[in-house]
Amino acid sequence: MAQTDNKKFFENLSGAGKAIAVLTSGGDAQGMNAAVRAVVRMGIYVGAKVYFVHEGYQGMVDGGDNIKEATWESVSSMLQMGGTVIGSARCKDFRMHEGRLKAAHNLVQRGITNLCVIGGDGSLTGANLFRKEWSGLLAELVQQGLIDEEASQKYSALHIVGMVGSIDNDFSILAWICKKPMIGMVFALDGEMMLPTVKQDAVFCLSVCASDWVLIPEMPPEDGWEEKMCQKLSALVVQRLGFDTRVTILGHVQRGGTPSAFDRILASRMGVEAVLALLETTANTPACVVSLCGNQSVRLPLMECVQMTQQVQKAMDEKRFEEAVQLRGRSFENNLKTYKLLAHRKPESELPNSNFNVAVLNVGAPAAGMNAAVRSAVRVGISEGHKMFAVSDGFEGFYKGQIKEIKWADVGGWTGQGGSLLGTKRTLPAKHIDKIAEQMQKYNINALLVIGGFEAFLGIMELLAARATFEELCVPMVMVPATVSNNVPGSDLSIGADTALNAITFTCDRIKQSASGTKHRVFIIETMGGYCGYLASVGGLAAGADAAYIFEEPFDIRELQSNVEHLTEKMKTSIQRGLVLRNENSNENYTTDFIYQLYSEEGKGVFDCRKNVLGHMQQGGAPSPFDRNFGTKIAAKAMQWISKKLNESYRKGMKDNSYAFHVVMKQTFLKLSIELNHHLTFFLTCAVVHEALSICHLVKA
Ligand code: ADP
C-alpha cells in the first residue's frame, strides 16, 4: 500500500517551468554533498531546472560561471565525499544591501525563484533577510533599468527552503550533523583525557564518550570548579590509573572525513523534502527549514527558527543559561540530563532505596550499542534506588540461574564496546518458563528489561502468555529494540541498525572505489536483515545504489530486466559503475548468485559483475556515536518507565497481570498487536523502508 501510494505520489509531481538553485554556505559539514545531490536529482526528476551556486552567497553575488545548470551525472559519486563539492564561502558582500541586490539580479536573469540554502544559522538568517527584501530588491532593479517590469512581475516571489548543515548543530531545530570524526578522535586518544569545548557536539559526546567532565557555554561551571575537577581527575586518572594527562584541541578534524550513513540519509531525505516543499509553495507560503523529527521529515517555519536561534544567543549573553538549554531544544536538554545522571555517581548514603529488584538481559544476536544501553539502564536504575541484576546469555542464562547483582562501577567503559558484554543468546523462554519463574522468585525480580531483537520480542510474548500460570511474571516488562535488522514490531528504530548501516555504506564505498580505474562494473551486494528490508534499502540510499531488492517489495523477472537495462544505459554516460543491494531473504529463487549470474549474462559486452556477501561484518564493530547515544537514551527512558510502573504497583500493593508490555523507542509508539507474524513486522517497518526505497529509486546513482 505504502509503496503504491508513494509511487503514485512521486509520479504525479511536476516541477516543469521551475528553476531551483542550490547552494552551500558558511562552514562546511559532512552530508552537504548528499543534500545537494538529492536536490539536483529530485529537481530534475520532477522536470525542474536545477542550478548550482558555487562558493555560497559569494557565487550568487558574483554570478557568471558561479551559477551553472546541474545535470543528473554532475552529482554522481558525491555521496561519500566530505565537505562540499560545490564550494562554500563566508561572504561579506551578502551582508550588504548592494551585494544582495546583485545576487537578486543574477537570479532573476536566470529565472530562478526557488532557493535551497544549506548552511548554519548565519546562512539561514541571511536567506530569511533576502526573502524579506526580495520585492524591494526587484523594484530597485527595475528602477535602475537592470530588469523590466515584466520580469519583476514574473519573478515577484522568492521561495526559500533551508537545510541545516552545520557541525555546531546550533540552529534551533532537531539536526544531527557531523558526529563521527570527533568520536574517532576520542578513540584515537584511548586512555587520555580530553575536554571538548564546543556546544551541541560536546553534549552529544557526553553520552557517547561517557566523558568525566565537560565545559560548555550553556552550563558554565560553578565557582571553585577548577579545584573540584582537578581532584576528580587526579583521583581518577593520575593516581588510580597511572595515566598521563594531555589536552587536545580537536579543531578542524571535526569538519573533515567521510560522512556517516546517518548524515547521508538525513541529507538525502532533507534534499528530497526541500524540493517537495518548493513544489508546494505559493506566493504566501512562508520560508521553511526541512529536517527530521524522529523518522519523519518535517517542515518548520524558517523565520521562527531564526528567531529562536537569536533568542538562544540573547539568553546566553544575558547569562540565562537554563533558558538557553531549553531553547536549544528537547534533544539537547535530554542529552545533558542523561549525561548528568550517568556521569556522576551519588554517594551511597544519598541514594534512595526503592526495595525493587530489576533484571536486565540481552536477547538475540549482538547489536552494537547494547552495552551502552545496559550501562545506562544499570546506572539509572541504581540512581532511582533499585537493585540491578544482570542476566547473562539471555533467556537461557535466566533459566539456568546465571543472575548476578550488577553495580555502578561494573558497567564503566561499556559505552564504546561492541557485541554484548552480558552475553546474549537466541533461545526462547517458552520451554523453560517454570524455571524462569523460579529464578524470578528466588531473586525477587520486580521488573524485567530486555534489550534485543526479534527473539526478545517473541520471548516477552511467551512470558506474557504464561502470566496466568506464573504470578512471578506479572511484573512490568519493557523491551529496548536492539538489532541490526531493525525489525522489531512496534518500533521504527533499533539500537545497532546505525552501526550496521555504516558498515554497509563504508564497505560499498570501498567496493565502488576498488573499481575506480576499472570502468563498466556492477557490484551485487548481499545484506543481512532477515525478512526486513531496512538495511538493504536504507543502506542503498546511503551508498548510492542503483537497485535494492527486498522481501517487502516483490520483484519479478521484468523488474530485473528493467534494472539491467538501466545499468546498460548508465554505462553509456560518465557514470560507469553500478551498485545493487539485495536483502538476504528478498526472494527464495532470485538468490544473490542468480542475480549475479543474470546481470553477468545480460551485461555481457557492456559491463562485468562482482558479488559480495557482507555477512557478519554488519553485526560487529564498535557502536557508532548514534547507537551509543541512542542506546544510552532509550535505556534510560525504559528504566524511568519501569520506575514509574513499580511505584504505581507499590501503591496498588499487588502484582498485576494487566501490565502492558512496552517497547521503548525514540519518537513514536505504534500500537502493538499480539497476533504476530512476519507480515506484521513488515507492515510496521514498511513506512520507513518504503520512503527510503522511493528516494533510492528517485536519486539512484
Ligand atoms: P554559518 O551559516 O555556518 O552559521 P556564517 O555565520 O559565517 O556561517 O554565515 C555564512 C554567510 O551567510 C555569511 O558569510 C554571510 O554571507 C551570510 N550571512 C550570515 N548572517 C547574515 C545576515 N545577518 N545577513 C545577511 N547575510 C548573512
Side-chain angles (χ1 to χ4, degrees):
M1 272 290 284
Q3 180 204 346
T4 330
D5 290 350
N6 261 342
K7 212 170 159 195
K8 264 199 216 136
F9 171 74
F10 284 116
E11 276 169 8
N12 290 335
L13 292 171
S14 172
K18 286 194 194 277
I20 302 171
V22 56
L23 63 97
T24 53
S25 169
D28 52 4
Q30 290 92 332
M32 278 182 163
N33 291 324
V36 170
R37 171 180 176 271
V39 169
V40 169
R41 293 206 166 162
M42 185 65 187
I44 294 175
Y45 176 85
V46 297
K49 266 191 177 178
V50 187
Y51 290 87
F52 294 129
V53 179
H54 291 277
E55 312 306 331
Y57 288 129
Q58 194 63 55
M60 210 156 88
V61 173
D62 295 346
D65 269 356
N66 288 302
I67 308 177
K68 246 197 235 144
E69 194 172 342
T71 62
W72 190 272
E73 289 80 22
S74 61
V75 290
S76 158
S77 305
M78 246 167 102
L79 263 179
Q80 65 272 29
M81 291 187 188
T84 162
V85 170
I86 61 170
S88 179
R90 294 211 153 88
C91 169
K92 268 198 189 139
D93 293 343
F94 196 73
R95 290 182 183 270
M96 317 290 174
H97 182 80
E98 206 46 41
R100 294 195 290 276
L101 189 68
K102 278 192 194 162
H105 188 210
N106 284 325
L107 295 189
V108 171
Q109 279 179 320
R110 291 162 180 83
I112 301 169
T113 51
N114 298 282
L115 207 55
C116 287
V117 179
I118 307 165
D121 65 333
S123 308
L124 298 184
T125 307
N128 194 39
L129 180 67
F130 191 46
R131 182 177 187 270
K132 269 206 272 185
E133 288 182 352
W134 183 255
S135 53
L137 293 172
L138 293 203
E140 240 178 284
L141 290 173
V142 173
Q143 226 174 27
Q144 292 181 12
L146 291 169
I147 60 167
D148 56 26
E149 191 58 47
E150 197 191 330
S152 144
Q153 292 296 323
K154 192 170 172 193
Y155 305 120
S156 61
L158 176 70
H159 307 297
I160 290 189
V161 174
M163 278 178 263
V164 186
S166 164
I167 63 163
D168 293 338
N169 206 9
D170 54 1
F171 196 67
S172 285
I173 61 159
L174 182 106
W176 298 56
I177 314 281
C178 176
K179 306 296 174 203
K180 183 180 163 289
M182 190 160 185
I183 307 309
M185 195 62 197
V186 173
F187 276 76
L189 287 168
D190 195 17
E192 295 185 354
M193 190 53 60
M194 186 198 61
L195 307 174
T197 52
V198 290
K199 303 165 271 190
Q200 291 267 33
D201 280 340
V203 177
F204 180 88
C205 280
L206 300 175
S207 64
V208 300
C209 313
S211 340
D212 291 291
W213 208 279
V214 67
L215 298 171
I216 56 168
E218 295 86 346
M219 199 173 65
E222 298 155 7
D223 286 346
W225 66 274
E226 298 93 331
E227 188 65 25
K228 273 195 208 158
M229 185 177 80
C230 288
Q231 272 172 9
K232 180 168 179 181
L233 297 189
S234 59
L236 185 83
V237 180
V238 181
Q239 288 170 11
R240 287 231 313 259
L241 303 178
F243 285 161
D244 256 0
T245 307
R246 297 276 188 282
V247 174
T248 297
I249 295 169
L250 290 180
H252 280 77
V253 287
Q254 294 163 91
R255 269 195 208 287
T258 306
S260 65
F262 185 88
D263 278 341
R264 298 182 203 190
I265 294 156
L266 172 70
S268 300
R269 291 180 67 186
M270 276 166 43
V272 168
E273 186 66 21
V275 174
L276 293 179
L278 286 174
L279 294 185
E280 286 169 23
T281 50
T282 63
N284 302 322
T285 319
C288 71
V289 179
V290 294
S291 184
L292 284 195
C293 186
N295 248 336
Q296 308 300 315
S297 303
V298 290
R299 296 175 199 172
L300 306 160
L302 175 65
M303 224 143 66
E304 283 172 30
C305 294
V306 166
Q307 280 163 2
M308 188 99 107
T309 309
Q310 287 163 351
Q311 279 174 28
V312 177
Q313 196 50 52
K314 194 159 179 275
M316 301 272 285
D317 292 345
E318 294 169 5
K319 302 198 183 327
R320 289 179 281 116
F321 296 111
E322 273 178 31
E323 206 179 318
V325 168
Q326 275 170 12
L327 287 166
R328 284 237 183 266
R330 221 178 44 193
S331 170
F332 183 89
E333 209 180 343
N334 283 345
N335 280 339
L336 198 55
K337 269 191 198 152
T338 312
Y339 157 69
K340 283 191 197 164
L341 193 69
L342 299 182
H344 300 295
R345 179 187 185 173
K346 283 189 188 156
E348 206 82 24
S349 57
E350 282 178 30
L351 284 176
N353 182 1
S354 71
N355 283 324
F356 289 123
N357 296 341
V358 180
V360 185
L361 60 156
N362 291 162
V363 174
M370 270 182 163
N371 300 321
V374 174
R375 168 186 174 269
S376 167
V378 166
R379 291 195 171 177
V380 172
I382 293 173
S383 305
E384 305 208 341
H386 312 320
K387 207 181 232 192
M388 299 300 297
F389 287 87
V391 181
S392 11
D393 299 341
F395 290 117
E396 190 170 322
F398 211 149
Y399 81 78
K400 289 182 176 162
Q402 293 166 216
I403 303 168
K404 238 182 28 202
E405 189 180 348
I406 184 162
K407 298 277 183 84
W408 186 280
D410 296 335
V411 289
W414 280 33
T415 311
Q417 301 209 41
S420 160
L421 293 168
L422 285 186
T424 183
K425 289 228 161 128
R426 290 180 188 273
T427 320
L428 291 174
K431 289 187 194 141
H432 315 281
I433 295 269
D434 52 339
K435 290 204 188 98
I436 288 180
E438 207 178 295
Q439 297 297 338
M440 296 273 291
Q441 195 188 33
K442 181 173 167 194
Y443 290 93
N444 189 22
I445 301 296
N446 304 106
L448 217 53
L449 173 60
V450 186
I451 301 168
F454 203 75
E455 289 89 357
F457 183 88
L458 291 178
I460 295 186
M461 288 297 173
E462 291 179 3
L463 297 186
L464 296 194
R467 273 181 173 174
T469 324
F470 299 99
E471 199 210 16
E472 294 80 359
L473 300 175
C474 300
V475 298
M477 293 181 196
V478 59
M479 167 176 183
V480 168
T483 160
V484 299
S485 304
N486 198 17
N487 62 348
V488 176
S491 70
D492 61 6
L493 202 53
S494 294
I495 298 169
D498 183 71
T499 307
L501 273 184
N502 273 321
I504 294 169
T505 305
F506 296 140
T507 309
C508 287
D509 285 355
R510 283 175 175 226
I511 287 173
K512 282 209 276 189
Q513 201 187 33
S514 75
S516 60
T518 323
K519 307 282 185 240
H520 309 121
R521 179 161 289 174
V522 174
F523 293 98
I524 318 286
I525 315 282
E526 184 188 294
T527 69
M528 281 183 163
Y531 285 95
C532 177
Y534 183 85
L535 289 181
S537 55
V538 182
L541 182 58
D546 295 274
Y549 298 119
I550 61 171
F551 183 86
E552 297 93 324
E553 188 184 57
F555 55 98
D556 57 17
I557 197 71
R558 280 167 292 276
E559 170 90 15
L560 292 168
Q561 183 182 358
S562 114
N563 290 155
V564 172
E565 282 164 4
H566 155 78
L567 283 164
T568 311
E569 280 306 303
K570 185 171 145 175
M571 296 299 156
K572 294 179 189 157
T573 70
S574 58
I575 325 169
Q576 293 168 351
R577 277 168 290 157
L579 184 68
V580 172
L581 264 56
R582 179 189 173 276
N583 159 280
E584 58 187 354
N585 290 343
S586 54
N587 187 298
E588 212 181 324
N589 296 311
Y590 299 141
T591 59
T592 303
D593 279 338
F594 176 90
I595 289 178
Y596 163 69
Q597 282 160 6
L598 179 92
Y599 272 68
S600 300
E601 184 60 28
E602 296 298 318
K604 244 186 208 165
V606 183
F607 58 81
D608 65 5
C609 291
R610 296 287 183 275
K611 74 171 175 194
N612 285 271
V613 176
L614 300 183
H616 281 78
M617 65 165 294
Q618 295 159 88
Q619 260 175 22
S624 67
F626 183 94
D627 276 330
R628 297 176 201 198
N629 182 269
F630 187 44
T632 302
K633 280 209 294 204
I634 68 168
K637 209 167 160 185
M639 228 25 249
Q640 282 153 357
W641 182 85
I642 284 183
S643 297
K644 188 167 157 258
K645 292 290 154 192
L646 286 174
N647 290 329
E648 283 169 14
S649 80
Y650 181 70
R651 281 196 293 276
K652 280 198 260 173
M654 57 178 197
K655 296 211 172 189
D656 183 354
N657 81 352
S658 66
Y659 279 127
F661 150 47
H662 193 77
V663 177
V664 186
M665 24 182 299
K666 199 168 169 207
Q667 293 291 335
T668 42
F669 177 70
L670 300 171
K671 278 220 164 75
L672 282 174
S673 163
I674 295 180
E675 290 164 58
L676 183 70
N677 58 36
H678 284 320
H679 295 289
L680 174 65
T681 320
F682 304 145
F683 170 68
L684 292 169
T685 53
C686 69
V688 182
V689 168
H690 282 298
E691 191 200 317
L693 206 59
S694 307
I695 298 176
C696 188
H697 286 329
L698 295 175
V699 298
K700 61 192 170 187

